[in-house]
Structure formats: structure tokens, C-alpha cells
Short mmCIF file of all heavy atoms in Angstrom, two decimals:
data_model
loop_
_atom_site.label_atom_id
_atom_site.label_comp_id
_atom_site.label_asym_id
_atom_site.label_seq_id
_atom_site.Cartn_x
_atom_site.Cartn_y
_atom_site.Cartn_z
N MET F 1 0.81 -1.18 0.02
CA MET F 1 -0.09 0.11 -0.04
C MET F 1 0.92 1.26 0.03
O MET F 1 2.01 1.16 0.56
CB MET F 1 -0.90 0.02 1.24
CG MET F 1 -0.20 0.09 2.59
SD MET F 1 -1.28 -0.36 3.92
CE MET F 1 -1.12 -2.14 3.89
N SER F 2 0.36 2.33 -0.60
CA SER F 2 1.32 3.55 -0.62
C SER F 2 0.41 4.80 -0.55
O SER F 2 -0.84 4.71 -0.74
CB SER F 2 2.02 3.60 -1.97
OG SER F 2 1.20 3.65 -3.05
N ALA F 3 1.07 5.82 -0.17
CA ALA F 3 0.45 7.09 -0.10
C ALA F 3 0.86 7.95 -1.28
O ALA F 3 1.94 8.56 -1.35
CB ALA F 3 0.84 7.84 1.17
N GLY F 4 0.09 7.76 -2.40
CA GLY F 4 0.43 8.39 -3.71
C GLY F 4 -0.02 9.75 -3.85
O GLY F 4 0.46 10.49 -4.76
N GLY F 5 -0.89 10.24 -3.04
CA GLY F 5 -1.40 11.66 -3.10
C GLY F 5 -0.44 12.61 -2.43
O GLY F 5 0.56 12.21 -1.86
N PRO F 6 -0.95 13.89 -2.28
CA PRO F 6 -0.19 14.81 -1.52
C PRO F 6 -0.25 14.84 0.03
O PRO F 6 0.32 15.64 0.72
CB PRO F 6 -0.81 16.30 -2.08
CG PRO F 6 -2.18 15.93 -2.34
CD PRO F 6 -2.13 14.39 -2.84
N SER F 7 -1.16 14.01 0.53
CA SER F 7 -1.46 13.96 1.98
C SER F 7 -1.04 12.72 2.46
O SER F 7 -1.04 11.59 1.89
CB SER F 7 -2.96 14.16 2.23
OG SER F 7 -3.39 15.43 1.74
N PRO F 8 -0.63 12.65 3.87
CA PRO F 8 -0.36 11.34 4.53
C PRO F 8 -1.62 10.41 4.57
O PRO F 8 -2.73 10.99 4.51
CB PRO F 8 0.05 11.78 5.83
CG PRO F 8 0.26 13.23 5.93
CD PRO F 8 -0.43 13.78 4.73
N VAL F 9 -1.45 9.08 4.77
CA VAL F 9 -2.49 8.09 4.83
C VAL F 9 -2.23 7.43 6.16
O VAL F 9 -1.09 6.98 6.42
CB VAL F 9 -2.40 7.18 3.76
CG1 VAL F 9 -3.48 6.10 3.94
CG2 VAL F 9 -2.88 7.93 2.33
N THR F 10 -3.21 7.31 6.97
CA THR F 10 -3.09 6.52 8.28
C THR F 10 -3.58 5.13 7.92
O THR F 10 -4.60 4.87 7.48
CB THR F 10 -4.02 7.21 9.31
OG1 THR F 10 -3.61 8.52 9.52
CG2 THR F 10 -3.90 6.39 10.65
N VAL F 11 -2.65 4.12 8.41
CA VAL F 11 -3.04 2.82 8.28
C VAL F 11 -3.47 2.30 9.72
O VAL F 11 -2.63 2.42 10.64
CB VAL F 11 -1.82 1.88 7.80
CG1 VAL F 11 -2.19 0.47 7.71
CG2 VAL F 11 -1.39 2.40 6.39
N VAL F 12 -4.60 1.74 9.86
CA VAL F 12 -5.15 1.16 11.10
C VAL F 12 -5.33 -0.25 11.07
O VAL F 12 -5.90 -0.77 10.15
CB VAL F 12 -6.57 1.84 11.41
CG1 VAL F 12 -7.14 1.46 12.71
CG2 VAL F 12 -6.57 3.44 11.33
N LEU F 13 -4.78 -0.92 12.03
CA LEU F 13 -4.78 -2.42 12.19
C LEU F 13 -5.80 -2.80 13.14
O LEU F 13 -5.83 -2.37 14.30
CB LEU F 13 -3.44 -2.96 12.59
CG LEU F 13 -2.29 -2.44 11.63
CD1 LEU F 13 -1.06 -2.91 12.25
CD2 LEU F 13 -2.42 -3.04 10.19
N GLU F 14 -6.84 -3.60 12.75
CA GLU F 14 -7.89 -4.03 13.62
C GLU F 14 -7.68 -5.52 13.85
O GLU F 14 -7.39 -6.18 12.98
CB GLU F 14 -9.26 -3.77 13.02
CG GLU F 14 -9.53 -2.27 12.89
CD GLU F 14 -9.67 -1.53 14.21
OE1 GLU F 14 -9.77 -2.25 15.26
OE2 GLU F 14 -9.77 -0.35 14.19
N PRO F 15 -7.98 -5.98 15.13
CA PRO F 15 -8.71 -5.30 16.20
C PRO F 15 -7.69 -4.63 17.11
O PRO F 15 -8.10 -4.11 18.12
CB PRO F 15 -9.43 -6.42 16.91
CG PRO F 15 -8.48 -7.64 16.68
CD PRO F 15 -7.84 -7.35 15.36
N SER F 16 -6.33 -4.58 16.97
CA SER F 16 -5.41 -4.03 17.85
C SER F 16 -5.56 -2.52 18.01
O SER F 16 -5.13 -2.04 19.02
CB SER F 16 -4.04 -4.50 17.56
OG SER F 16 -3.54 -3.82 16.41
N GLY F 17 -5.94 -1.83 16.98
CA GLY F 17 -5.93 -0.38 16.97
C GLY F 17 -4.73 0.24 16.69
O GLY F 17 -4.55 1.43 16.82
N MET F 18 -3.64 -0.50 16.41
CA MET F 18 -2.36 0.04 16.00
C MET F 18 -2.46 0.83 14.91
O MET F 18 -3.25 0.55 13.90
CB MET F 18 -1.43 -1.14 15.78
CG MET F 18 0.03 -0.85 15.81
SD MET F 18 0.53 -0.43 17.51
CE MET F 18 2.20 -0.31 17.34
N GLU F 19 -1.80 2.08 14.86
CA GLU F 19 -1.84 3.03 13.73
C GLU F 19 -0.43 3.35 13.26
O GLU F 19 0.48 3.43 14.19
CB GLU F 19 -2.57 4.21 14.02
CG GLU F 19 -4.11 4.13 14.37
CD GLU F 19 -4.77 5.48 14.57
OE1 GLU F 19 -4.15 6.49 14.46
OE2 GLU F 19 -6.06 5.34 14.86
N TYR F 20 -0.32 3.45 11.96
CA TYR F 20 0.92 3.87 11.31
C TYR F 20 0.60 5.00 10.30
O TYR F 20 -0.44 4.85 9.64
CB TYR F 20 1.67 2.76 10.56
CG TYR F 20 2.23 1.79 11.58
CD1 TYR F 20 1.56 0.58 11.94
CD2 TYR F 20 3.46 1.96 12.27
CE1 TYR F 20 2.09 -0.36 12.72
CE2 TYR F 20 3.94 1.00 13.12
CZ TYR F 20 3.37 -0.09 13.44
OH TYR F 20 3.80 -1.03 14.26
N VAL F 21 1.46 5.90 10.18
CA VAL F 21 1.12 7.00 9.13
C VAL F 21 2.08 6.89 7.95
O VAL F 21 3.39 6.76 8.10
CB VAL F 21 1.36 8.39 9.79
CG1 VAL F 21 1.17 9.55 8.68
CG2 VAL F 21 0.38 8.56 10.87
N LEU F 22 1.60 6.71 6.74
CA LEU F 22 2.31 6.69 5.56
C LEU F 22 2.41 8.09 5.05
O LEU F 22 1.48 8.83 4.76
CB LEU F 22 1.54 5.92 4.52
CG LEU F 22 1.84 4.42 4.47
CD1 LEU F 22 0.90 3.72 3.55
CD2 LEU F 22 3.30 4.13 4.05
N GLN F 23 3.68 8.57 4.89
CA GLN F 23 3.92 9.97 4.29
C GLN F 23 3.73 9.93 2.74
O GLN F 23 3.95 8.82 2.16
CB GLN F 23 5.29 10.46 4.64
CG GLN F 23 5.40 10.69 6.17
CD GLN F 23 4.50 11.64 6.75
OE1 GLN F 23 4.12 12.63 6.17
NE2 GLN F 23 3.98 11.43 7.97
N PRO F 24 3.49 10.93 2.19
CA PRO F 24 3.24 11.06 0.67
C PRO F 24 4.47 10.41 -0.06
O PRO F 24 5.63 10.82 0.40
CB PRO F 24 3.09 12.47 0.40
CG PRO F 24 2.44 13.11 1.59
CD PRO F 24 3.06 12.40 2.70
N GLY F 25 4.28 9.45 -0.92
CA GLY F 25 5.37 8.83 -1.67
C GLY F 25 5.97 7.68 -1.00
O GLY F 25 6.72 6.88 -1.63
N ASP F 26 5.55 7.35 0.25
CA ASP F 26 6.13 6.25 1.09
C ASP F 26 5.22 5.01 0.77
O ASP F 26 4.06 5.13 0.24
CB ASP F 26 6.21 6.62 2.46
CG ASP F 26 7.22 5.64 3.23
OD1 ASP F 26 7.87 4.83 2.59
OD2 ASP F 26 7.24 5.82 4.47
N HIS F 27 5.68 3.83 1.12
CA HIS F 27 4.85 2.61 1.06
C HIS F 27 5.15 1.53 2.13
O HIS F 27 6.14 1.68 2.77
CB HIS F 27 5.12 1.88 -0.31
CG HIS F 27 6.40 1.35 -0.35
ND1 HIS F 27 7.55 1.96 -0.73
CD2 HIS F 27 6.68 0.00 -0.09
CE1 HIS F 27 8.63 1.10 -0.57
NE2 HIS F 27 8.10 -0.06 -0.28
N PHE F 28 4.09 0.80 2.42
CA PHE F 28 4.24 -0.27 3.34
C PHE F 28 3.90 -1.65 2.48
O PHE F 28 3.18 -1.64 1.48
CB PHE F 28 3.22 -0.40 4.42
CG PHE F 28 3.44 0.66 5.44
CD1 PHE F 28 2.38 1.10 6.33
CD2 PHE F 28 4.64 1.23 5.82
CE1 PHE F 28 2.49 2.04 7.25
CE2 PHE F 28 4.85 2.16 6.73
CZ PHE F 28 3.81 2.50 7.51
N GLU F 29 4.56 -2.73 2.92
CA GLU F 29 4.14 -4.07 2.35
C GLU F 29 3.44 -4.86 3.39
O GLU F 29 3.75 -4.89 4.52
CB GLU F 29 5.39 -4.83 1.77
CG GLU F 29 6.06 -4.12 0.68
CD GLU F 29 7.18 -4.96 0.15
OE1 GLU F 29 7.26 -6.20 0.35
OE2 GLU F 29 8.26 -4.39 -0.45
N PHE F 30 2.34 -5.49 2.92
CA PHE F 30 1.43 -6.21 3.93
C PHE F 30 1.16 -7.54 3.36
O PHE F 30 0.90 -7.73 2.10
CB PHE F 30 0.15 -5.36 4.12
CG PHE F 30 -0.81 -6.08 5.03
CD1 PHE F 30 -0.62 -5.91 6.39
CD2 PHE F 30 -1.76 -7.01 4.53
CE1 PHE F 30 -1.54 -6.59 7.26
CE2 PHE F 30 -2.68 -7.59 5.41
CZ PHE F 30 -2.44 -7.42 6.70
N GLU F 31 1.09 -8.56 4.25
CA GLU F 31 0.75 -9.89 3.76
C GLU F 31 -0.02 -10.77 4.87
O GLU F 31 0.28 -10.44 5.99
CB GLU F 31 1.86 -10.62 3.14
CG GLU F 31 2.86 -11.21 4.24
CD GLU F 31 3.96 -12.06 3.59
OE1 GLU F 31 4.29 -11.90 2.41
OE2 GLU F 31 4.60 -12.80 4.40
N TRP F 32 -0.88 -11.65 4.41
CA TRP F 32 -1.35 -12.63 5.35
C TRP F 32 -0.69 -13.96 4.93
O TRP F 32 -0.79 -14.28 3.84
CB TRP F 32 -2.92 -12.85 5.21
CG TRP F 32 -3.71 -11.81 5.87
CD1 TRP F 32 -3.91 -11.60 7.20
CD2 TRP F 32 -4.47 -10.65 5.26
NE1 TRP F 32 -4.71 -10.61 7.55
CE2 TRP F 32 -5.13 -10.05 6.29
CE3 TRP F 32 -4.78 -10.38 3.86
CZ2 TRP F 32 -5.96 -8.99 6.05
CZ3 TRP F 32 -5.54 -9.29 3.67
CH2 TRP F 32 -6.29 -8.54 4.78
N GLU F 33 -0.14 -14.65 6.00
CA GLU F 33 0.53 -15.99 5.76
C GLU F 33 -0.42 -17.09 6.37
O GLU F 33 -1.13 -16.86 7.30
CB GLU F 33 1.85 -16.00 6.50
CG GLU F 33 2.87 -14.96 6.05
CD GLU F 33 4.13 -15.10 6.76
OE1 GLU F 33 4.16 -15.60 8.00
OE2 GLU F 33 5.19 -14.79 6.17
N ASP F 34 -0.34 -18.12 5.76
CA ASP F 34 -1.01 -19.42 6.37
C ASP F 34 -2.49 -19.15 6.59
O ASP F 34 -3.01 -19.44 7.70
CB ASP F 34 -0.36 -19.88 7.62
CG ASP F 34 1.16 -20.11 7.44
OD1 ASP F 34 1.60 -20.64 6.39
OD2 ASP F 34 1.90 -19.80 8.37
N VAL F 35 -3.21 -18.61 5.56
CA VAL F 35 -4.66 -18.36 5.69
C VAL F 35 -5.34 -19.67 5.70
O VAL F 35 -5.24 -20.48 4.87
CB VAL F 35 -5.19 -17.41 4.60
CG1 VAL F 35 -6.54 -17.36 4.72
CG2 VAL F 35 -4.41 -16.11 4.71
N THR F 36 -6.15 -19.91 6.79
CA THR F 36 -6.97 -21.05 6.86
C THR F 36 -8.43 -20.68 7.08
O THR F 36 -8.72 -19.59 7.72
CB THR F 36 -6.51 -21.98 8.04
OG1 THR F 36 -6.59 -21.28 9.32
CG2 THR F 36 -5.09 -22.45 7.79
N GLY F 37 -9.35 -21.42 6.58
CA GLY F 37 -10.76 -21.05 6.84
C GLY F 37 -11.29 -20.03 5.91
O GLY F 37 -10.60 -19.56 4.91
N ASP F 38 -12.44 -19.56 6.20
CA ASP F 38 -13.09 -18.54 5.39
C ASP F 38 -12.74 -17.06 5.70
O ASP F 38 -13.11 -16.23 4.93
CB ASP F 38 -14.63 -18.70 5.45
CG ASP F 38 -15.13 -20.02 4.96
OD1 ASP F 38 -14.38 -20.58 3.95
OD2 ASP F 38 -16.13 -20.59 5.36
N LEU F 39 -12.08 -16.81 6.82
CA LEU F 39 -11.86 -15.43 7.21
C LEU F 39 -10.52 -15.00 6.68
O LEU F 39 -9.37 -15.33 7.33
CB LEU F 39 -11.88 -15.23 8.74
CG LEU F 39 -11.70 -13.91 9.35
CD1 LEU F 39 -12.85 -13.03 8.86
CD2 LEU F 39 -11.73 -14.03 10.79
N ILE F 40 -10.49 -14.35 5.50
CA ILE F 40 -9.24 -13.91 4.93
C ILE F 40 -8.80 -12.55 5.25
O ILE F 40 -7.80 -11.97 4.76
CB ILE F 40 -9.29 -14.08 3.38
CG1 ILE F 40 -10.34 -13.36 2.74
CG2 ILE F 40 -9.40 -15.53 3.03
CD1 ILE F 40 -10.34 -13.33 1.27
N GLY F 41 -9.63 -11.81 6.06
CA GLY F 41 -9.26 -10.48 6.42
C GLY F 41 -9.82 -9.52 5.41
O GLY F 41 -10.49 -9.81 4.33
N THR F 42 -9.87 -8.15 5.81
CA THR F 42 -10.46 -7.10 5.04
C THR F 42 -9.49 -5.95 4.81
O THR F 42 -8.65 -5.74 5.72
CB THR F 42 -11.79 -6.56 5.70
OG1 THR F 42 -11.38 -6.13 6.98
CG2 THR F 42 -12.74 -7.76 5.77
N ILE F 43 -9.65 -5.26 3.78
CA ILE F 43 -8.89 -4.01 3.60
C ILE F 43 -10.02 -3.00 3.16
O ILE F 43 -10.62 -3.19 2.23
CB ILE F 43 -7.80 -4.02 2.55
CG1 ILE F 43 -6.78 -5.13 3.09
CG2 ILE F 43 -7.17 -2.71 2.31
CD1 ILE F 43 -5.72 -5.44 2.09
N ASP F 44 -10.07 -1.85 3.92
CA ASP F 44 -10.98 -0.80 3.59
C ASP F 44 -10.17 0.46 3.41
O ASP F 44 -9.50 0.90 4.18
CB ASP F 44 -12.00 -0.56 4.84
CG ASP F 44 -12.88 0.54 4.54
OD1 ASP F 44 -13.49 0.62 3.39
OD2 ASP F 44 -13.11 1.42 5.36
N HIS F 45 -10.31 1.08 2.19
CA HIS F 45 -9.65 2.25 1.85
C HIS F 45 -10.47 3.45 1.72
O HIS F 45 -11.45 3.40 0.95
CB HIS F 45 -8.94 1.89 0.42
CG HIS F 45 -8.03 3.17 -0.08
ND1 HIS F 45 -8.50 4.07 -0.88
CD2 HIS F 45 -6.68 3.48 0.34
CE1 HIS F 45 -7.53 5.03 -1.10
NE2 HIS F 45 -6.45 4.60 -0.39
N GLN F 46 -10.09 4.40 2.51
CA GLN F 46 -10.86 5.73 2.44
C GLN F 46 -9.80 6.80 2.03
O GLN F 46 -8.62 6.42 1.93
CB GLN F 46 -11.34 6.00 3.83
CG GLN F 46 -12.43 5.05 4.31
CD GLN F 46 -13.70 5.01 3.50
OE1 GLN F 46 -14.15 5.98 3.01
NE2 GLN F 46 -14.17 3.79 3.28
N PRO F 47 -10.18 7.96 1.73
CA PRO F 47 -9.25 8.88 1.17
C PRO F 47 -7.90 9.13 2.02
O PRO F 47 -6.91 9.21 1.49
CB PRO F 47 -10.01 10.22 1.14
CG PRO F 47 -11.44 9.77 0.82
CD PRO F 47 -11.59 8.58 1.69
N HIS F 48 -8.06 9.16 3.35
CA HIS F 48 -6.87 9.39 4.12
C HIS F 48 -6.63 8.21 5.13
O HIS F 48 -5.86 8.42 6.05
CB HIS F 48 -7.11 10.64 4.86
CG HIS F 48 -7.19 11.90 3.96
ND1 HIS F 48 -6.08 12.27 3.20
CD2 HIS F 48 -8.19 12.63 3.63
CE1 HIS F 48 -6.46 13.32 2.42
NE2 HIS F 48 -7.77 13.53 2.66
N THR F 49 -7.38 7.04 5.07
CA THR F 49 -7.30 6.04 5.94
C THR F 49 -7.29 4.66 5.16
O THR F 49 -8.14 4.55 4.30
CB THR F 49 -8.39 5.98 7.01
OG1 THR F 49 -8.33 7.34 7.60
CG2 THR F 49 -8.22 4.94 8.12
N ILE F 50 -6.55 3.84 5.61
CA ILE F 50 -6.57 2.34 5.20
C ILE F 50 -6.73 1.50 6.44
O ILE F 50 -5.91 1.59 7.28
CB ILE F 50 -5.40 1.86 4.41
CG1 ILE F 50 -5.15 2.70 3.07
CG2 ILE F 50 -5.44 0.43 4.07
CD1 ILE F 50 -3.91 2.44 2.38
N THR F 51 -7.90 0.73 6.54
CA THR F 51 -8.08 -0.09 7.71
C THR F 51 -7.89 -1.54 7.35
O THR F 51 -8.55 -1.99 6.35
CB THR F 51 -9.40 0.17 8.41
OG1 THR F 51 -9.67 1.53 8.57
CG2 THR F 51 -9.73 -0.73 9.50
N ILE F 52 -7.05 -2.31 8.06
CA ILE F 52 -6.92 -3.69 7.73
C ILE F 52 -7.49 -4.53 8.86
O ILE F 52 -7.05 -4.39 9.95
CB ILE F 52 -5.30 -4.01 7.61
CG1 ILE F 52 -4.74 -3.09 6.46
CG2 ILE F 52 -5.11 -5.44 7.36
CD1 ILE F 52 -3.26 -3.33 6.33
N GLY F 53 -8.45 -5.30 8.48
CA GLY F 53 -9.26 -6.12 9.46
C GLY F 53 -8.50 -7.51 9.67
O GLY F 53 -7.95 -8.03 8.69
N GLU F 54 -8.58 -8.15 10.81
CA GLU F 54 -8.01 -9.31 11.07
C GLU F 54 -8.49 -10.50 10.23
O GLU F 54 -9.71 -10.59 9.94
CB GLU F 54 -8.30 -9.68 12.60
CG GLU F 54 -7.67 -10.95 13.03
CD GLU F 54 -7.95 -11.19 14.57
OE1 GLU F 54 -9.03 -10.81 15.00
OE2 GLU F 54 -6.94 -11.59 15.27
N GLY F 55 -7.59 -11.27 9.78
CA GLY F 55 -7.94 -12.50 9.03
C GLY F 55 -7.64 -13.76 9.84
O GLY F 55 -7.20 -13.56 10.97
N SER F 56 -7.72 -14.93 9.17
CA SER F 56 -7.50 -16.18 9.94
C SER F 56 -6.03 -16.56 9.87
O SER F 56 -5.63 -17.49 10.56
CB SER F 56 -8.43 -17.27 9.40
OG SER F 56 -8.19 -17.50 8.08
N GLY F 57 -5.27 -15.92 9.06
CA GLY F 57 -3.79 -16.22 8.93
C GLY F 57 -2.94 -15.22 9.75
O GLY F 57 -3.46 -14.27 10.34
N ARG F 58 -1.63 -15.39 9.76
CA ARG F 58 -0.72 -14.51 10.46
C ARG F 58 -0.52 -13.31 9.56
O ARG F 58 -0.14 -13.44 8.35
CB ARG F 58 0.57 -15.19 10.64
CG ARG F 58 1.63 -14.30 11.32
CD ARG F 58 2.93 -15.07 11.61
NE ARG F 58 3.85 -14.18 12.09
CZ ARG F 58 5.10 -14.13 11.73
NH1 ARG F 58 5.53 -14.93 10.82
NH2 ARG F 58 5.87 -13.20 12.31
N ALA F 59 -0.70 -12.13 9.99
CA ALA F 59 -0.53 -10.89 9.33
C ALA F 59 0.93 -10.29 9.58
O ALA F 59 1.36 -10.33 10.68
CB ALA F 59 -1.63 -9.88 9.70
N ARG F 60 1.52 -9.77 8.58
CA ARG F 60 2.85 -9.14 8.63
C ARG F 60 2.91 -7.94 7.86
O ARG F 60 2.26 -7.81 6.78
CB ARG F 60 3.96 -10.12 8.23
CG ARG F 60 3.98 -11.32 9.10
CD ARG F 60 5.00 -12.33 8.62
NE ARG F 60 6.37 -11.84 8.94
CZ ARG F 60 7.41 -12.26 8.51
NH1 ARG F 60 7.43 -13.28 7.62
NH2 ARG F 60 8.65 -11.76 8.85
N MET F 61 3.68 -6.86 8.34
CA MET F 61 3.74 -5.67 7.53
C MET F 61 5.14 -5.08 7.62
O MET F 61 5.77 -5.25 8.75
CB MET F 61 2.68 -4.60 8.09
CG MET F 61 2.59 -3.37 7.21
SD MET F 61 1.14 -2.45 7.53
CE MET F 61 1.50 -1.73 9.05
N TRP F 62 5.75 -4.46 6.56
CA TRP F 62 7.03 -3.87 6.61
C TRP F 62 7.02 -2.57 6.09
O TRP F 62 6.23 -2.17 5.13
CB TRP F 62 7.93 -4.72 5.64
CG TRP F 62 8.16 -6.15 6.08
CD1 TRP F 62 9.19 -6.60 6.91
CD2 TRP F 62 7.43 -7.27 5.81
NE1 TRP F 62 9.04 -8.01 7.03
CE2 TRP F 62 7.99 -8.36 6.43
CE3 TRP F 62 6.14 -7.42 5.07
CZ2 TRP F 62 7.36 -9.67 6.26
CZ3 TRP F 62 5.66 -8.65 4.94
CH2 TRP F 62 6.21 -9.81 5.48
N ASN F 63 7.92 -1.56 6.67
CA ASN F 63 7.91 -0.35 6.08
C ASN F 63 8.87 -0.30 4.86
O ASN F 63 9.40 -1.38 4.36
CB ASN F 63 8.39 0.68 7.09
CG ASN F 63 9.79 0.50 7.64
OD1 ASN F 63 10.58 -0.19 7.04
ND2 ASN F 63 10.03 0.97 8.76
N SER F 64 9.05 0.88 4.18
CA SER F 64 9.81 0.94 2.89
C SER F 64 11.30 0.78 3.14
O SER F 64 12.02 0.44 2.23
CB SER F 64 9.63 2.36 2.36
OG SER F 64 9.95 3.41 3.14
N ASN F 65 11.78 0.76 4.52
CA ASN F 65 13.13 0.32 4.70
C ASN F 65 13.36 -1.13 4.99
O ASN F 65 14.47 -1.58 5.16
CB ASN F 65 13.68 1.07 6.00
CG ASN F 65 13.73 2.56 5.83
OD1 ASN F 65 14.01 3.06 4.73
ND2 ASN F 65 13.37 3.34 6.94
N GLY F 66 12.18 -1.87 4.87
CA GLY F 66 12.27 -3.33 5.12
C GLY F 66 12.22 -3.77 6.53
O GLY F 66 12.36 -4.91 6.86
N ASP F 67 11.78 -2.81 7.47
CA ASP F 67 11.76 -3.23 8.86
C ASP F 67 10.25 -3.59 9.09
O ASP F 67 9.38 -3.08 8.72
CB ASP F 67 11.86 -1.92 9.72
CG ASP F 67 13.25 -1.28 9.47
OD1 ASP F 67 14.32 -1.97 9.53
OD2 ASP F 67 13.34 -0.01 9.52
N GLU F 68 10.24 -4.82 9.83
CA GLU F 68 8.87 -5.41 10.11
C GLU F 68 8.21 -4.49 11.26
O GLU F 68 8.91 -4.14 12.23
CB GLU F 68 8.99 -6.77 10.54
CG GLU F 68 7.60 -7.44 10.73
CD GLU F 68 7.63 -9.08 10.71
OE1 GLU F 68 8.79 -9.61 10.73
OE2 GLU F 68 6.62 -9.57 10.89
N LEU F 69 6.96 -4.18 11.03
CA LEU F 69 6.22 -3.34 12.03
C LEU F 69 5.35 -4.22 12.90
O LEU F 69 4.88 -5.27 12.49
CB LEU F 69 5.31 -2.39 11.22
CG LEU F 69 6.12 -1.48 10.23
CD1 LEU F 69 5.16 -0.65 9.47
CD2 LEU F 69 7.10 -0.58 10.96
N SER F 70 5.22 -3.79 14.08
CA SER F 70 4.34 -4.52 15.10
C SER F 70 2.88 -4.43 14.63
O SER F 70 2.40 -3.37 14.21
CB SER F 70 4.47 -3.98 16.47
OG SER F 70 3.59 -4.54 17.37
N MET F 71 2.27 -5.66 14.81
CA MET F 71 0.80 -5.65 14.45
C MET F 71 -0.02 -5.57 15.68
O MET F 71 -1.21 -5.61 15.68
CB MET F 71 0.44 -6.91 13.70
CG MET F 71 1.33 -7.07 12.47
SD MET F 71 0.90 -5.91 11.17
CE MET F 71 -0.70 -6.48 10.64
N LEU F 72 0.69 -5.55 16.92
CA LEU F 72 -0.13 -5.58 18.18
C LEU F 72 -0.17 -4.01 18.67
O LEU F 72 0.76 -3.30 18.62
CB LEU F 72 0.64 -6.48 19.14
CG LEU F 72 0.84 -7.84 18.72
CD1 LEU F 72 1.67 -8.58 19.65
CD2 LEU F 72 -0.48 -8.52 18.46
N GLY F 73 -1.34 -3.77 19.44
CA GLY F 73 -1.45 -2.47 20.02
C GLY F 73 -0.65 -2.35 21.25
O GLY F 73 -0.06 -3.21 21.88
#
């Protein structure tokens, strides 16, 4: 996911409530690993917010420097 416009984008992780801010031109990489069952998670994109909902697999996210970010609040 990236902030391609002129404004920052807030990434909200649910259900933990953890938030990260993407600055314009920056990006995060996100993946669900080992997804089992029917709950694959959700991604809701609004103009200045991206909300990622919990899925049945392990979620991981990295910043543009390759550092893994905490998914827990």
C-alpha cells in the first residue's frame, strides 16, 4: 500500500487499534500468511485512511526500509 497523493495516509490495524502514518510517496508491504478457513481479512480504503481487518492467517507488515512493523497494540 502507498500514499500516492499529496497527503499522509493513516493505516489502522484491527482489532489491535495500532496505527501507522504513511507519508506522501512512501509505502508499506502487507501480507497474510497461512490463511485457513473462510476469514481472509479485510482492507477498507478511504481517502486518508486504510483499515486492515483481522484474518485467519498470520498478518505481517514492513515499512519501505524493510523493517517489520508490530501488528499489536
Side-chain angles (χ1 to χ4, degrees):
M1 66 193 82
S2 64
S7 301
V9 173
T10 301
V11 178
V12 180
L13 307 173
E14 294 295 349
S16 72
M18 196 72 173
E19 292 186 3
Y20 292 99
V21 176
L22 272 171
Q23 295 301 322
D26 201 5
H27 72 277
F28 290 158
E29 293 185 26
F30 179 84
E31 72 178 22
W32 278 290
E33 298 178 336
D34 305 323
V35 175
T36 58
D38 296 332
L39 185 60
I40 59 171
T42 60
I43 297 176
D44 179 47
H45 183 261
Q46 300 296 322
H48 300 288
T49 307
I50 299 172
T51 303
I52 300 174
E54 183 176 39
S56 60
R58 178 177 177 227
R60 299 177 72 191
M61 189 165 71
W62 298 266
N63 65 18
S64 57
N65 294 324
D67 302 319
E68 188 164 2
L69 303 173
S70 175
M71 303 293 287
L72 304 174

